[in-house]
Amino acid sequence: MEESLNLRKKYSMYSPLTLAYIGDSVFDLKIKEYMVAHHNMPVEKFHQRVSKIVCARNQSSFIDEWMENLDETENDIYNRGRNASVHTKAKNATMAEYKKATGLEALVGFLYLCKEYDRLDDIIHTVLDKAGELSE
């Protein structure tokens, strides 16, 4: 418990874009890990299905459903990520969607670095469920 609080304190001080940087990779990896563990298909099919889930537009919609579950620190991390000054935009998303996706990625990065894997898995489960992947 004390280690978790220390990690939360440490990583809550990180730049939200740094958290989003690692969160982007973790999010992508966790979705790929689930897909490979539960399906056997050609790589192109994996890529299509995973890309559909991890795109900024879908990440943006996923966080809308998860917001009520965030504690105060998680909400702060998300908001800092969402409000960070980004200088790029996703190809198929609005700037608002891209910013919300960046907030989600910052939250994922934060949870990963804090070793809060159960909490991270809850988010991934919600994302997969909303994407219709858990019903197969």
Side-chain angles (χ1 to χ4, degrees), residues 32-129:
K32 286 177 179 176
E33 177 183 48
Y34 176 86
M35 296 298 284
V36 168
H38 290 87
H39 303 285
N40 184 17
M41 63 183 81
V43 173
E44 304 92 37
K45 290 281 187 190
F46 278 128
H47 178 71
Q48 290 170 354
R49 287 174 71 173
V50 169
S51 295
K52 188 172 118 180
I53 295 169
V54 302
C55 72
R57 176 168 282 150
N58 286 334
Q59 285 182 355
S60 172
S61 69
F62 299 140
I63 193 62
D64 287 338
E65 291 190 17
W66 191 257
M67 287 301 296
E68 65 191 36
N69 299 314
L70 301 181
D71 67 27
E72 186 177 337
T73 302
E74 294 166 348
N75 192 56
D76 180 59
I77 296 294
Y78 165 75
N79 284 326
R80 287 178 47 225
R82 185 195 65 208
N83 295 329
S85 181
V86 293
H87 303 289
T88 59
K89 182 179 111 35
K91 287 183 263 180
N92 298 311
T94 66
M95 184 54 85
E97 290 168 333
Y98 185 72
K99 285 179 158 283
K100 287 168 70 175
T102 302
L104 173 63
E105 290 171 347
L107 176 60
V108 167
F110 175 76
L111 293 173
Y112 176 78
L113 291 170
C114 291
K115 300 179 182 179
E116 295 185 24
Y117 304 127
D118 288 342
R119 190 78 166 135
L120 177 57
D121 286 344
D122 287 345
I123 290 174
I124 299 302
H125 184 270
T126 300
V127 166
L128 289 165
D129 187 39

